[in-house]
Amino acid sequence: MAITNSMETLYLGNYSWCSTIAQPPAARLFLRLYKQFPGDVGCFAIFFLNHMKLKPGEAMFLGPNVPHAYLYGDCIECMACSDNTVRAGLTPKFIDVPTLCAMLDYRCRTVDENKFTPVQQGGAGGAGVSVYDPAVPDFSVLRVELAAGEMDYTLPLVDSASILLTVQGEADAYSGSLGEEPIYVTRGTVLFISAGESLHLKLKKAGGSGMVMFRAYCQLS
């Protein structure tokens, strides 16, 4: 699953490539990819895959063995446990063609079938909480946004271990497992939170731009 801050992506779907080859956008995309990966046969994939542009806050879910490529932009990607990555193109690395052909999911899907909208929840202390919950039991993702001026926030308890990624803002984090000394969190900080453990944040720079965090966890109940 990918949650975006504006991203462009390709994945297998119902794409009428015959009618789009002559259109300037497809030609420009092909030339752009060919410049980045000269001689790579994967450049021709654009005529067989959906070309999707996601806006900030939008999300898409791709099941296992679906070919896809992130072309540009930033996103938060959450994956189920996997022991294998098979490449198909747009890479200088080894491509295992027999394994690729045997494992691929060849079913075509529309853009709307893969996009989904998060559920908005009101968080404590004026926080904006968005729940990204795909139709699989492996994981869910929360996006927590604290407005400028907020000073304190406590993340709710969940019944699984979780990973917290800060992408904006800064705070001191307190929890029972951390001891008395707080951990300073800022853009790029990643924290592991044990199951059933709360985390309290004291935000810095109350007049700043607020704080944005993503939390990946598993809904066990």
Side-chain angles (χ1 to χ4, degrees), residues 2-86:
I3 305 167
T4 69
N5 185 31
S6 185
M7 185 184 71
E8 187 177 4
T9 187
L10 290 170
Y11 70 94
L12 183 63
N14 298 323
Y15 192 79
S16 181
W17 65 274
C18 291
S19 62
T20 59
I21 289 179
Q23 293 179 3
R28 289 197 298 268
L29 176 58
F30 178 86
L31 293 175
R32 191 178 98 199
L33 294 177
Y34 189 81
K35 184 177 181 179
Q36 295 173 344
F37 302 94
D40 194 316
V41 69
C43 296
F44 290 98
I46 67 169
F47 303 118
F48 301 94
L49 304 181
N50 282 317
H51 183 200
M52 177 190 294
K53 292 185 178 180
L54 294 173
K55 299 176 182 178
E58 291 185 329
M60 63 182 296
F61 174 77
L62 297 176
N65 303 329
V66 176
H68 60 281
Y70 299 133
L71 302 178
Y72 179 81
D74 300 315
C75 75
I76 300 295
E77 183 181 26
C78 187
M79 300 173 59
C81 293
S82 172
D83 61 357
N84 196 13
T85 298
V86 180

